[in-house]
PDB file of all heavy atoms in Angstrom:
ATOM      1  N   SER A   1      -6.123   3.465   9.558  1.00  0.00           N
ATOM      2  CA  SER A   1      -4.761   3.729   9.094  1.00  0.00           C
ATOM      3  C   SER A   1      -4.793   4.588   7.838  1.00  0.00           C
ATOM      4  O   SER A   1      -5.678   4.427   6.984  1.00  0.00           O
ATOM      5  CB  SER A   1      -4.023   2.424   8.793  1.00  0.00           C
ATOM      6  OG  SER A   1      -3.980   1.588   9.934  1.00  0.00           O
ATOM      7  N   ILE A   2      -3.818   5.494   7.736  1.00  0.00           N
ATOM      8  CA  ILE A   2      -3.651   6.324   6.544  1.00  0.00           C
ATOM      9  C   ILE A   2      -2.273   6.024   5.964  1.00  0.00           C
ATOM     10  O   ILE A   2      -1.266   6.600   6.382  1.00  0.00           O
ATOM     11  CB  ILE A   2      -3.767   7.825   6.872  1.00  0.00           C
ATOM     12  CG1 ILE A   2      -5.084   8.122   7.597  1.00  0.00           C
ATOM     13  CG2 ILE A   2      -3.645   8.663   5.600  1.00  0.00           C
ATOM     14  CD1 ILE A   2      -6.314   7.905   6.749  1.00  0.00           C
ATOM     15  N   PRO A   3      -2.178   5.096   5.007  1.00  0.00           N
ATOM     16  CA  PRO A   3      -0.892   4.844   4.353  1.00  0.00           C
ATOM     17  C   PRO A   3      -0.653   5.836   3.217  1.00  0.00           C
ATOM     18  O   PRO A   3      -1.585   6.227   2.508  1.00  0.00           O
ATOM     19  CB  PRO A   3      -1.060   3.415   3.806  1.00  0.00           C
ATOM     20  CG  PRO A   3      -2.528   3.268   3.571  1.00  0.00           C
ATOM     21  CD  PRO A   3      -3.223   4.147   4.572  1.00  0.00           C
ATOM     22  N   VAL A   4       0.595   6.251   3.072  1.00  0.00           N
ATOM     23  CA  VAL A   4       0.995   7.117   1.951  1.00  0.00           C
ATOM     24  C   VAL A   4       2.201   6.448   1.300  1.00  0.00           C
ATOM     25  O   VAL A   4       3.339   6.612   1.736  1.00  0.00           O
ATOM     26  CB  VAL A   4       1.343   8.544   2.426  1.00  0.00           C
ATOM     27  CG1 VAL A   4       1.689   9.416   1.220  1.00  0.00           C
ATOM     28  CG2 VAL A   4       0.199   9.153   3.223  1.00  0.00           C
ATOM     29  N   MET A   5       1.946   5.682   0.249  1.00  0.00           N
ATOM     30  CA  MET A   5       2.965   4.830  -0.338  1.00  0.00           C
ATOM     31  C   MET A   5       3.536   5.397  -1.635  1.00  0.00           C
ATOM     32  O   MET A   5       2.774   5.836  -2.522  1.00  0.00           O
ATOM     33  CB  MET A   5       2.385   3.444  -0.660  1.00  0.00           C
ATOM     34  CG  MET A   5       1.883   2.653   0.537  1.00  0.00           C
ATOM     35  SD  MET A   5       3.188   2.071   1.629  1.00  0.00           S
ATOM     36  CE  MET A   5       2.985   3.217   2.994  1.00  0.00           C
ATOM     37  N   LEU A   6       4.854   5.415  -1.729  1.00  0.00           N
ATOM     38  CA  LEU A   6       5.503   5.583  -3.025  1.00  0.00           C
ATOM     39  C   LEU A   6       5.575   4.214  -3.670  1.00  0.00           C
ATOM     40  O   LEU A   6       5.762   3.200  -2.983  1.00  0.00           O
ATOM     41  CB  LEU A   6       6.898   6.169  -2.855  1.00  0.00           C
ATOM     42  CG  LEU A   6       6.975   7.605  -2.314  1.00  0.00           C
ATOM     43  CD1 LEU A   6       8.423   7.995  -2.047  1.00  0.00           C
ATOM     44  CD2 LEU A   6       6.328   8.588  -3.286  1.00  0.00           C
ATOM     45  N   ASN A   7       5.440   4.159  -4.974  1.00  0.00           N
ATOM     46  CA  ASN A   7       5.452   2.843  -5.623  1.00  0.00           C
ATOM     47  C   ASN A   7       6.099   2.903  -7.002  1.00  0.00           C
ATOM     48  O   ASN A   7       6.196   3.966  -7.627  1.00  0.00           O
ATOM     49  CB  ASN A   7       4.026   2.292  -5.732  1.00  0.00           C
ATOM     50  CG  ASN A   7       3.119   3.163  -6.580  1.00  0.00           C
ATOM     51  OD1 ASN A   7       3.277   3.262  -7.791  1.00  0.00           O
ATOM     52  ND2 ASN A   7       2.137   3.811  -5.947  1.00  0.00           N
ATOM     53  N   TYR A   8       6.534   1.737  -7.433  1.00  0.00           N
ATOM     54  CA  TYR A   8       7.065   1.577  -8.791  1.00  0.00           C
ATOM     55  C   TYR A   8       6.424   0.337  -9.394  1.00  0.00           C
ATOM     56  O   TYR A   8       6.395  -0.729  -8.771  1.00  0.00           O
ATOM     57  CB  TYR A   8       8.578   1.450  -8.796  1.00  0.00           C
ATOM     58  CG  TYR A   8       9.147   1.399 -10.201  1.00  0.00           C
ATOM     59  CD1 TYR A   8       9.373   2.569 -10.917  1.00  0.00           C
ATOM     60  CD2 TYR A   8       9.410   0.178 -10.820  1.00  0.00           C
ATOM     61  CE1 TYR A   8       9.861   2.539 -12.210  1.00  0.00           C
ATOM     62  CE2 TYR A   8       9.902   0.131 -12.114  1.00  0.00           C
ATOM     63  CZ  TYR A   8      10.121   1.316 -12.814  1.00  0.00           C
ATOM     64  OH  TYR A   8      10.603   1.281 -14.104  1.00  0.00           O
ATOM     65  N   ARG A   9       5.942   0.473 -10.625  1.00  0.00           N
ATOM     66  CA  ARG A   9       5.210  -0.597 -11.295  1.00  0.00           C
ATOM     67  C   ARG A   9       6.044  -1.225 -12.409  1.00  0.00           C
ATOM     68  O   ARG A   9       6.602  -0.522 -13.257  1.00  0.00           O
ATOM     69  CB  ARG A   9       3.910  -0.053 -11.893  1.00  0.00           C
ATOM     70  CG  ARG A   9       2.988  -1.124 -12.458  1.00  0.00           C
ATOM     71  CD  ARG A   9       1.793  -0.504 -13.165  1.00  0.00           C
ATOM     72  NE  ARG A   9       2.175   0.080 -14.452  1.00  0.00           N
ATOM     73  CZ  ARG A   9       2.122   1.374 -14.713  1.00  0.00           C
ATOM     74  NH1 ARG A   9       1.723   2.236 -13.799  1.00  0.00           N
ATOM     75  NH2 ARG A   9       2.479   1.828 -15.916  1.00  0.00           N
ATOM     76  N   PHE A  10       6.140  -2.553 -12.387  1.00  0.00           N
ATOM     77  CA  PHE A  10       6.761  -3.322 -13.462  1.00  0.00           C
ATOM     78  C   PHE A  10       5.648  -3.907 -14.325  1.00  0.00           C
ATOM     79  O   PHE A  10       4.752  -4.591 -13.810  1.00  0.00           O
ATOM     80  CB  PHE A  10       7.634  -4.451 -12.908  1.00  0.00           C
ATOM     81  CG  PHE A  10       8.784  -3.973 -12.071  1.00  0.00           C
ATOM     82  CD1 PHE A  10       8.641  -3.812 -10.696  1.00  0.00           C
ATOM     83  CD2 PHE A  10      10.018  -3.705 -12.650  1.00  0.00           C
ATOM     84  CE1 PHE A  10       9.704  -3.371  -9.917  1.00  0.00           C
ATOM     85  CE2 PHE A  10      11.085  -3.268 -11.876  1.00  0.00           C
ATOM     86  CZ  PHE A  10      10.919  -3.095 -10.509  1.00  0.00           C
ATOM     87  N   ASP A  11       5.684  -3.655 -15.626  1.00  0.00           N
ATOM     88  CA  ASP A  11       4.645  -4.128 -16.530  1.00  0.00           C
ATOM     89  C   ASP A  11       5.098  -5.385 -17.259  1.00  0.00           C
ATOM     90  O   ASP A  11       6.207  -5.445 -17.797  1.00  0.00           O
ATOM     91  CB  ASP A  11       4.302  -3.045 -17.563  1.00  0.00           C
ATOM     92  CG  ASP A  11       3.752  -1.786 -16.915  1.00  0.00           C
ATOM     93  OD1 ASP A  11       3.022  -1.906 -15.920  1.00  0.00           O
ATOM     94  OD2 ASP A  11       4.063  -0.682 -17.397  1.00  0.00           O
ATOM     95  N   PHE A  12       4.225  -6.390 -17.260  1.00  0.00           N
ATOM     96  CA  PHE A  12       4.478  -7.630 -17.987  1.00  0.00           C
ATOM     97  C   PHE A  12       3.339  -7.815 -18.984  1.00  0.00           C
ATOM     98  O   PHE A  12       2.380  -8.543 -18.741  1.00  0.00           O
ATOM     99  CB  PHE A  12       4.543  -8.821 -17.027  1.00  0.00           C
ATOM    100  CG  PHE A  12       5.593  -8.671 -15.955  1.00  0.00           C
ATOM    101  CD1 PHE A  12       5.258  -8.183 -14.706  1.00  0.00           C
ATOM    102  CD2 PHE A  12       6.915  -9.004 -16.213  1.00  0.00           C
ATOM    103  CE1 PHE A  12       6.221  -8.032 -13.725  1.00  0.00           C
ATOM    104  CE2 PHE A  12       7.884  -8.855 -15.237  1.00  0.00           C
ATOM    105  CZ  PHE A  12       7.539  -8.372 -13.992  1.00  0.00           C
ATOM    106  N   GLY A  13       3.444  -7.115 -20.092  1.00  0.00           N
ATOM    107  CA  GLY A  13       2.350  -7.112 -21.036  1.00  0.00           C
ATOM    108  C   GLY A  13       1.330  -6.051 -20.650  1.00  0.00           C
ATOM    109  O   GLY A  13       1.552  -5.209 -19.781  1.00  0.00           O
ATOM    110  N   LYS A  14       0.169  -6.096 -21.273  1.00  0.00           N
ATOM    111  CA  LYS A  14      -0.838  -5.060 -21.091  1.00  0.00           C
ATOM    112  C   LYS A  14      -1.579  -5.180 -19.768  1.00  0.00           C
ATOM    113  O   LYS A  14      -1.903  -4.172 -19.126  1.00  0.00           O
ATOM    114  CB  LYS A  14      -1.842  -5.123 -22.243  1.00  0.00           C
ATOM    115  CG  LYS A  14      -2.930  -4.066 -22.165  1.00  0.00           C
ATOM    116  CD  LYS A  14      -3.897  -4.183 -23.334  1.00  0.00           C
ATOM    117  CE  LYS A  14      -5.005  -3.139 -23.223  1.00  0.00           C
ATOM    118  NZ  LYS A  14      -5.973  -3.245 -24.347  1.00  0.00           N
ATOM    119  N   ASP A  15      -1.857  -6.424 -19.311  1.00  0.00           N
ATOM    120  CA  ASP A  15      -2.744  -6.611 -18.169  1.00  0.00           C
ATOM    121  C   ASP A  15      -2.072  -7.176 -16.929  1.00  0.00           C
ATOM    122  O   ASP A  15      -2.741  -7.429 -15.922  1.00  0.00           O
ATOM    123  CB  ASP A  15      -3.901  -7.549 -18.559  1.00  0.00           C
ATOM    124  CG  ASP A  15      -4.804  -6.935 -19.618  1.00  0.00           C
ATOM    125  OD1 ASP A  15      -4.983  -5.705 -19.587  1.00  0.00           O
ATOM    126  OD2 ASP A  15      -5.309  -7.682 -20.467  1.00  0.00           O
ATOM    127  N   MET A  16      -0.753  -7.401 -16.948  1.00  0.00           N
ATOM    128  CA  MET A  16      -0.066  -7.974 -15.792  1.00  0.00           C
ATOM    129  C   MET A  16       0.947  -6.974 -15.249  1.00  0.00           C
ATOM    130  O   MET A  16       1.783  -6.456 -15.995  1.00  0.00           O
ATOM    131  CB  MET A  16       0.625  -9.292 -16.167  1.00  0.00           C
ATOM    132  CG  MET A  16      -0.338 -10.386 -16.597  1.00  0.00           C
ATOM    133  SD  MET A  16       0.518 -11.892 -17.161  1.00  0.00           S
ATOM    134  CE  MET A  16       1.377 -12.356 -15.650  1.00  0.00           C
ATOM    135  N   HIS A  17       0.857  -6.709 -13.928  1.00  0.00           N
ATOM    136  CA  HIS A  17       1.711  -5.697 -13.325  1.00  0.00           C
ATOM    137  C   HIS A  17       2.174  -6.159 -11.940  1.00  0.00           C
ATOM    138  O   HIS A  17       1.409  -6.739 -11.169  1.00  0.00           O
ATOM    139  CB  HIS A  17       0.963  -4.365 -13.177  1.00  0.00           C
ATOM    140  CG  HIS A  17       0.211  -3.946 -14.387  1.00  0.00           C
ATOM    141  ND1 HIS A  17       0.797  -3.315 -15.458  1.00  0.00           N
ATOM    142  CD2 HIS A  17      -1.103  -4.094 -14.706  1.00  0.00           C
ATOM    143  CE1 HIS A  17      -0.115  -3.068 -16.380  1.00  0.00           C
ATOM    144  NE2 HIS A  17      -1.275  -3.532 -15.946  1.00  0.00           N
ATOM    145  N   LEU A  18       3.425  -5.877 -11.630  1.00  0.00           N
ATOM    146  CA  LEU A  18       3.980  -6.085 -10.295  1.00  0.00           C
ATOM    147  C   LEU A  18       4.376  -4.719  -9.742  1.00  0.00           C
ATOM    148  O   LEU A  18       5.125  -3.984 -10.380  1.00  0.00           O
ATOM    149  CB  LEU A  18       5.196  -7.007 -10.342  1.00  0.00           C
ATOM    150  CG  LEU A  18       5.963  -7.172  -9.020  1.00  0.00           C
ATOM    151  CD1 LEU A  18       5.103  -7.916  -7.999  1.00  0.00           C
ATOM    152  CD2 LEU A  18       7.283  -7.906  -9.249  1.00  0.00           C
ATOM    153  N   THR A  19       3.869  -4.381  -8.550  1.00  0.00           N
ATOM    154  CA  THR A  19       4.133  -3.074  -7.964  1.00  0.00           C
ATOM    155  C   THR A  19       4.787  -3.235  -6.599  1.00  0.00           C
ATOM    156  O   THR A  19       4.338  -4.034  -5.778  1.00  0.00           O
ATOM    157  CB  THR A  19       2.827  -2.269  -7.807  1.00  0.00           C
ATOM    158  OG1 THR A  19       2.179  -2.169  -9.077  1.00  0.00           O
ATOM    159  CG2 THR A  19       3.115  -0.871  -7.290  1.00  0.00           C
ATOM    160  N   LEU A  20       5.853  -2.470  -6.369  1.00  0.00           N
ATOM    161  CA  LEU A  20       6.531  -2.432  -5.076  1.00  0.00           C
ATOM    162  C   LEU A  20       6.150  -1.146  -4.355  1.00  0.00           C
ATOM    163  O   LEU A  20       6.080  -0.078  -4.969  1.00  0.00           O
ATOM    164  CB  LEU A  20       8.048  -2.503  -5.263  1.00  0.00           C
ATOM    165  CG  LEU A  20       8.580  -3.718  -6.031  1.00  0.00           C
ATOM    166  CD1 LEU A  20      10.101  -3.656  -6.116  1.00  0.00           C
ATOM    167  CD2 LEU A  20       8.132  -5.025  -5.376  1.00  0.00           C
ATOM    168  N   TYR A  21       5.920  -1.258  -3.038  1.00  0.00           N
ATOM    169  CA  TYR A  21       5.451  -0.126  -2.242  1.00  0.00           C
ATOM    170  C   TYR A  21       6.391   0.153  -1.073  1.00  0.00           C
ATOM    171  O   TYR A  21       6.995  -0.765  -0.508  1.00  0.00           O
ATOM    172  CB  TYR A  21       4.067  -0.417  -1.655  1.00  0.00           C
ATOM    173  CG  TYR A  21       2.994  -0.731  -2.656  1.00  0.00           C
ATOM    174  CD1 TYR A  21       2.743  -2.046  -3.051  1.00  0.00           C
ATOM    175  CD2 TYR A  21       2.207   0.282  -3.200  1.00  0.00           C
ATOM    176  CE1 TYR A  21       1.745  -2.342  -3.959  1.00  0.00           C
ATOM    177  CE2 TYR A  21       1.201  -0.003  -4.108  1.00  0.00           C
ATOM    178  CZ  TYR A  21       0.983  -1.323  -4.487  1.00  0.00           C
ATOM    179  OH  TYR A  21      -0.009  -1.603  -5.389  1.00  0.00           O
ATOM    180  N   ALA A  22       6.474   1.411  -0.656  1.00  0.00           N
ATOM    181  CA  ALA A  22       7.201   1.781   0.560  1.00  0.00           C
ATOM    182  C   ALA A  22       6.768   3.179   0.974  1.00  0.00           C
ATOM    183  O   ALA A  22       6.564   4.062   0.128  1.00  0.00           O
ATOM    184  CB  ALA A  22       8.710   1.743   0.349  1.00  0.00           C
ATOM    185  N   GLY A  23       6.623   3.380   2.287  1.00  0.00           N
ATOM    186  CA  GLY A  23       6.242   4.705   2.771  1.00  0.00           C
ATOM    187  C   GLY A  23       5.730   4.656   4.196  1.00  0.00           C
ATOM    188  O   GLY A  23       5.670   3.596   4.828  1.00  0.00           O
ATOM    189  N   PRO A  24       5.336   5.798   4.734  1.00  0.00           N
ATOM    190  CA  PRO A  24       4.830   5.857   6.106  1.00  0.00           C
ATOM    191  C   PRO A  24       3.338   5.534   6.181  1.00  0.00           C
ATOM    192  O   PRO A  24       2.586   5.758   5.224  1.00  0.00           O
ATOM    193  CB  PRO A  24       5.093   7.311   6.503  1.00  0.00           C
ATOM    194  CG  PRO A  24       4.946   8.054   5.206  1.00  0.00           C
ATOM    195  CD  PRO A  24       5.480   7.136   4.140  1.00  0.00           C
ATOM    196  N   THR A  25       2.939   5.026   7.341  1.00  0.00           N
ATOM    197  CA  THR A  25       1.521   4.804   7.629  1.00  0.00           C
ATOM    198  C   THR A  25       1.207   5.415   8.997  1.00  0.00           C
ATOM    199  O   THR A  25       1.938   5.192   9.966  1.00  0.00           O
ATOM    200  CB  THR A  25       1.184   3.305   7.636  1.00  0.00           C
ATOM    201  OG1 THR A  25       1.318   2.783   6.314  1.00  0.00           O
ATOM    202  CG2 THR A  25      -0.255   3.071   8.103  1.00  0.00           C
ATOM    203  N   PHE A  26       0.131   6.172   9.048  1.00  0.00           N
ATOM    204  CA  PHE A  26      -0.294   6.817  10.290  1.00  0.00           C
ATOM    205  C   PHE A  26      -1.501   6.054  10.834  1.00  0.00           C
ATOM    206  O   PHE A  26      -2.515   5.918  10.149  1.00  0.00           O
ATOM    207  CB  PHE A  26      -0.637   8.281  10.033  1.00  0.00           C
ATOM    208  CG  PHE A  26       0.491   9.040   9.400  1.00  0.00           C
ATOM    209  CD1 PHE A  26       0.595   9.140   8.005  1.00  0.00           C
ATOM    210  CD2 PHE A  26       1.487   9.620  10.174  1.00  0.00           C
ATOM    211  CE1 PHE A  26       1.642   9.816   7.407  1.00  0.00           C
ATOM    212  CE2 PHE A  26       2.543  10.307   9.583  1.00  0.00           C
ATOM    213  CZ  PHE A  26       2.627  10.398   8.199  1.00  0.00           C
ATOM    214  N   ASP A  27      -1.345   5.534  12.052  1.00  0.00           N
ATOM    215  CA  ASP A  27      -2.319   4.617  12.631  1.00  0.00           C
ATOM    216  C   ASP A  27      -2.993   5.260  13.837  1.00  0.00           C
ATOM    217  O   ASP A  27      -2.315   5.861  14.680  1.00  0.00           O
ATOM    218  CB  ASP A  27      -1.594   3.333  13.065  1.00  0.00           C
ATOM    219  CG  ASP A  27      -2.480   2.112  12.974  1.00  0.00           C
ATOM    220  OD1 ASP A  27      -3.445   2.146  12.206  1.00  0.00           O
ATOM    221  OD2 ASP A  27      -2.195   1.128  13.683  1.00  0.00           O
ATOM    222  N   TYR A  28      -4.318   5.113  13.940  1.00  0.00           N
ATOM    223  CA  TYR A  28      -5.044   5.680  15.081  1.00  0.00           C
ATOM    224  C   TYR A  28      -6.032   4.652  15.615  1.00  0.00           C
ATOM    225  O   TYR A  28      -6.830   4.075  14.863  1.00  0.00           O
ATOM    226  CB  TYR A  28      -5.792   6.941  14.666  1.00  0.00           C
ATOM    227  CG  TYR A  28      -6.421   7.661  15.831  1.00  0.00           C
ATOM    228  CD1 TYR A  28      -5.658   8.478  16.668  1.00  0.00           C
ATOM    229  CD2 TYR A  28      -7.771   7.515  16.113  1.00  0.00           C
ATOM    230  CE1 TYR A  28      -6.229   9.136  17.747  1.00  0.00           C
ATOM    231  CE2 TYR A  28      -8.356   8.171  17.187  1.00  0.00           C
ATOM    232  CZ  TYR A  28      -7.575   8.979  18.004  1.00  0.00           C
ATOM    233  OH  TYR A  28      -8.133   9.623  19.072  1.00  0.00           O
ATOM    234  N   GLY A  29      -5.965   4.396  16.922  1.00  0.00           N
ATOM    235  CA  GLY A  29      -6.841   3.419  17.538  1.00  0.00           C
ATOM    236  C   GLY A  29      -8.209   4.000  17.863  1.00  0.00           C
ATOM    237  O   GLY A  29      -8.320   5.017  18.554  1.00  0.00           O
ATOM    238  N   LEU A  30      -9.253   3.360  17.360  1.00  0.00           N
ATOM    239  CA  LEU A  30     -10.621   3.779  17.641  1.00  0.00           C
ATOM    240  C   LEU A  30     -11.204   3.027  18.837  1.00  0.00           C
ATOM    241  O   LEU A  30     -11.882   3.615  19.682  1.00  0.00           O
ATOM    242  CB  LEU A  30     -11.511   3.544  16.415  1.00  0.00           C
ATOM    243  CG  LEU A  30     -11.179   4.347  15.158  1.00  0.00           C
ATOM    244  CD1 LEU A  30     -12.131   3.960  14.032  1.00  0.00           C
ATOM    245  CD2 LEU A  30     -11.245   5.836  15.425  1.00  0.00           C
ATOM    246  N   VAL A  31     -10.950   1.727  18.868  1.00  0.00           N
ATOM    247  CA  VAL A  31     -11.466   0.878  19.941  1.00  0.00           C
ATOM    248  C   VAL A  31     -10.351  -0.036  20.426  1.00  0.00           C
ATOM    249  O   VAL A  31      -9.624  -0.628  19.620  1.00  0.00           O
ATOM    250  CB  VAL A  31     -12.662   0.012  19.463  1.00  0.00           C
ATOM    251  CG1 VAL A  31     -13.136  -0.914  20.590  1.00  0.00           C
ATOM    252  CG2 VAL A  31     -13.803   0.890  18.983  1.00  0.00           C
ATOM    253  N   GLY A  32     -10.200  -0.117  21.729  1.00  0.00           N
ATOM    254  CA  GLY A  32      -9.270  -1.056  22.334  1.00  0.00           C
ATOM    255  C   GLY A  32      -9.848  -1.537  23.644  1.00  0.00           C
ATOM    256  O   GLY A  32     -10.008  -0.748  24.585  1.00  0.00           O
ATOM    257  N   LYS A  33     -10.199  -2.803  23.721  1.00  0.00           N
ATOM    258  CA  LYS A  33     -10.825  -3.287  24.950  1.00  0.00           C
ATOM    259  C   LYS A  33     -10.458  -4.741  25.221  1.00  0.00           C
ATOM    260  O   LYS A  33     -10.156  -5.507  24.314  1.00  0.00           O
ATOM    261  CB  LYS A  33     -12.344  -3.142  24.887  1.00  0.00           C
ATOM    262  CG  LYS A  33     -13.028  -4.016  23.848  1.00  0.00           C
ATOM    263  CD  LYS A  33     -14.544  -3.831  23.891  1.00  0.00           C
ATOM    264  CE  LYS A  33     -15.253  -4.732  22.881  1.00  0.00           C
ATOM    265  NZ  LYS A  33     -16.729  -4.603  22.971  1.00  0.00           N
ATOM    266  N   THR A  34     -10.481  -5.088  26.493  1.00  0.00           N
ATOM    267  CA  THR A  34     -10.269  -6.462  26.932  1.00  0.00           C
ATOM    268  C   THR A  34     -11.459  -6.885  27.783  1.00  0.00           C
ATOM    269  O   THR A  34     -11.848  -6.178  28.715  1.00  0.00           O
ATOM    270  CB  THR A  34      -8.976  -6.601  27.754  1.00  0.00           C
ATOM    271  OG1 THR A  34      -7.850  -6.355  26.912  1.00  0.00           O
ATOM    272  CG2 THR A  34      -8.851  -8.000  28.334  1.00  0.00           C
ATOM    273  N   THR A  35     -12.044  -8.036  27.441  1.00  0.00           N
ATOM    274  CA  THR A  35     -13.167  -8.586  28.182  1.00  0.00           C
ATOM    275  C   THR A  35     -12.716  -9.833  28.921  1.00  0.00           C
ATOM    276  O   THR A  35     -12.171 -10.767  28.307  1.00  0.00           O
ATOM    277  CB  THR A  35     -14.335  -8.927  27.244  1.00  0.00           C
ATOM    278  OG1 THR A  35     -14.726  -7.752  26.532  1.00  0.00           O
ATOM    279  CG2 THR A  35     -15.527  -9.457  28.030  1.00  0.00           C
TER     280      THR A  35
END
């Protein structure tokens, strides 16, 4: 998968962060099998 996310980061002090993500993801199947 190749995700390309836009994001926004909320900072809570120097070392704590909350980030929200949204964007498209391009998915390609390499292996698909049923046994």
Side-chain angles (χ1 to χ4, degrees):
S1 302
I2 306 294
V4 183
M5 298 290 105
L6 294 174
N7 62 69
Y8 185 83
R9 187 186 74 246
F10 298 91
D11 298 324
F12 302 96
K14 181 180 179 181
D15 295 326
M16 297 175 62
H17 314 278
L18 173 67
T19 304
L20 303 181
Y21 302 91
T25 293
F26 304 92
D27 211 23
Y28 187 79
L30 296 178
V31 177
K33 66 178 182 177
T34 293
T35 302

